[in-house]
Amino acid sequence: RHLVSHLELAGREEDLHRLLSLETDGKKNAWYEAKETFGDSQGYLVDVNQAWRIAERAYSLDRKLETGSNIGRQFYYALILASLNSLAANVPPGLLSVAVQEGLSTSSQAFTSIKGLPDEVLLAASLVELAPHLADTPLLRQATTAARKITSAPDRDSALSALALQWAGQQQLSEVENIIKELTDESSLSWLIAGLAPLLPSDRLPELLHRAAQMKKSESQAVAFSALAPHLAPAEQEKLLMAVQKIRSQRLQALTLTAILPYLQEAHRREALAKSLKLIKSVRNLVTRAEIAAALLPLLQENQQDEILSDLIRAVRKLKDGDKRGAAWGEIATFLPKSEWEQTFADVLAVKNKRIRAEALEKFAPTITLVRDKKAAVNMAQEIEVREYHVKTMAAILPYLSG
């Protein structure tokens, strides 16, 4: 009954940790099963807490190489306690995935610890994280059943989408098709189609294209069409092109056309290019036009590039709104002629909106060696208050400051 305490007193800590990690032939924790047989589940909790404390004490930051395994043990004992004490809500979903990936927990143990979570948002997020590790078919089926019981459609569909990719990897296509039919959240469906496109046989893709064409949200259609394009048979390209041209958002229609263009056969490519050129000239919002131009320019011949870029530069120069002007320059920063860098960079530094300025500075990073006011750029980046933008901007521009 007090074996764990005796092992600790004897200094046999490795044997103690080995004892608590042993599994039965049925992949259950052997020490837990032994304790349960004698009705001593509370004693098992005491043992796990004791082992966790020993692992915590044994870890030393100064001796990470020798003691680092004790971090993994702490994760393992945390997962056990989360399961037994219904505290899985305190274990971040990402931690479950890391524990399984690093061999600190089995996928079965991790799933057991979260399957009874009352918080559906957390349950869905945990299933999404665990899905890539559920190679065991019965366990994957249990997880799929658990996902189907989630009442919130976006959360349920998010979890089912992640699990469908695992079914696809096992070539269980009937399971995949069932999930596709069940999904009602377009965002989840679009990302599932994107994940399935390279995994499914080509004869299954026309149905995915049909489902994508039925979507109402432009964002979801753009994701699905862009992902399907490299994998569709030539016979399906006309349907794809027709579907893309029905996207309601001008911006997303143009960006999707540029995304699929490299994968189209010559006749369809000419049609998509002509439509893209027509769209870019009709878009009134110059920031959006610049975003589309940045995607389209690499696909054009030099004379077409010059025409699009010259028209856009002239239009952006006339913008009175400094923030919009800076955002537009940021979109096409890498395509601007050298003669424009100094003035356009000054426009970016004058942007008042810190998010827009940060994003523009990040895009201007490769040209920063050719402008005089490098110090101003660093100062501006350092003044960014939102940590995410501050770190991204500094990381982008610092490599170019040596020049």
Side-chain angles (χ1 to χ4, degrees), residues 245 253 257 270-280:
Q245 292 183 72
Q253 183 183 144
L257 281 169
R270 286 198 301 269
E271 183 182 349
L273 182 57
K275 180 64 176 177
S276 299
L277 291 170
K278 184 178 179 180
L279 274 173
I280 198 171

Side-chain angles (χ1 to χ4, degrees), residues 44-50 52 74-88 91 113:
Y44 180 71
L45 285 172
V46 171
D47 290 345
V48 172
N49 272 295
Q50 188 172 348
W52 188 353
Q74 291 177 60
F75 284 162
Y76 176 63
Y77 297 135
L79 289 171
I80 291 174
L81 293 176
S83 175
L84 295 176
N85 294 332
S86 299
L87 293 176
V91 179
S113 75

Side-chain angles (χ1 to χ4, degrees), residues 266-340:
E266 185 60 32
H268 297 312
R269 189 184 300 125
R270 286 198 301 269
E271 183 182 349
L273 182 57
K275 180 64 176 177
S276 299
L277 291 170
K278 184 178 179 180
L279 274 173
I280 198 171
K281 292 177 181 178
S282 65
V283 172
R284 293 186 178 183
N285 185 310
L286 290 180
V287 178
T288 299
R289 193 190 299 181
E291 180 189 10
I292 298 169
L296 183 60
L297 286 170
L299 306 175
L300 300 179
Q301 294 184 5
E302 189 173 348
N303 63 322
Q304 293 174 312
Q305 287 182 344
D306 292 342
E307 181 184 351
I308 294 291
L309 198 54
S310 298
D311 289 346
L312 187 55
I313 289 172
R314 281 194 296 270
V316 174
R317 278 181 187 153
K318 296 176 182 178
L319 268 177
K320 294 181 180 179
D321 187 317
D323 285 2
K324 290 182 179 179
R325 190 166 60 248
W329 291 140
E331 294 293 345
I332 56 173
T334 55
F335 299 98
L336 291 169
K338 293 180 181 180
S339 59
E340 298 288 340

Side-chain angles (χ1 to χ4, degrees), residues 162-385:
L163 294 165
L165 292 176
Q166 192 67 6
W167 283 117
Q170 295 185 14
Q171 294 301 306
Q172 298 282 345
L173 301 187
S174 61
E175 295 288 348
V176 176
E177 289 171 356
N178 288 337
I179 290 175
I180 290 174
K181 291 175 183 177
E182 295 173 42
L183 297 186
T184 59
D185 178 68
E186 284 193 358
S187 177
S188 295
L189 178 58
S190 67
W191 286 108
L192 174 56
I193 289 174
L196 290 174
L199 299 178
L200 296 185
S202 59
D203 62 348
R204 302 281 181 142
L205 299 184
E207 177 57 28
L208 296 185
L209 177 59
H210 178 68
R211 284 298 303 271
Q214 291 179 318
M215 292 176 181
K216 296 180 180 179
K217 295 180 180 177
S218 297
E219 294 84 355
S220 300
Q221 289 182 313
V223 169
F225 293 148
S226 299
L228 284 168
H231 308 284
L232 286 172
E236 299 299 319
Q237 290 186 355
E238 185 173 355
K239 294 178 184 177
L240 172 65
L241 191 52
M242 289 176 62
V244 171
Q245 292 183 72
K246 291 180 181 179
I247 294 177
R248 291 189 180 94
S249 163
Q250 272 192 323
R251 169 181 171 269
L252 290 171
Q253 183 183 144
L255 290 173
T256 308
L257 281 169
T258 59
I260 71 170
L261 207 151
Y263 306 103
L264 299 177
Q265 290 190 314
E266 185 60 32
H268 297 312
R269 189 184 300 125
R270 286 198 301 269
E271 183 182 349
L273 182 57
K275 180 64 176 177
S276 299
L277 291 170
K278 184 178 179 180
L279 274 173
I280 198 171
K281 292 177 181 178
S282 65
V283 172
R284 293 186 178 183
N285 185 310
L286 290 180
V287 178
T288 299
R289 193 190 299 181
E291 180 189 10
I292 298 169
L296 183 60
L297 286 170
L299 306 175
L300 300 179
Q301 294 184 5
E302 189 173 348
N303 63 322
Q304 293 174 312
Q305 287 182 344
D306 292 342
E307 181 184 351
I308 294 291
L309 198 54
S310 298
D311 289 346
L312 187 55
I313 289 172
R314 281 194 296 270
V316 174
R317 278 181 187 153
K318 296 176 182 178
L319 268 177
K320 294 181 180 179
D321 187 317
D323 285 2
K324 290 182 179 179
R325 190 166 60 248
W329 291 140
E331 294 293 345
I332 56 173
T334 55
F335 299 98
L336 291 169
K338 293 180 181 180
S339 59
E340 298 288 340
W341 284 346
E342 200 72 50
Q343 182 55 53
T344 54
F345 190 66
D347 284 346
V348 169
L349 294 181
V351 169
K352 294 179 180 178
N353 183 294
K354 293 182 179 180
R355 178 187 62 80
I356 294 175
R357 187 201 309 150
E359 291 175 348
L361 279 173
E362 185 181 348
K363 292 168 182 173
F364 259 90
T367 70
I368 202 170
T369 57
L370 297 165
V371 297
R372 290 189 295 271
D373 208 357
K374 300 181 185 65
K375 185 176 180 180
V378 176
N379 291 340
M380 287 290 188
Q382 289 175 334
E383 288 175 10
I384 297 170
E385 295 171 359

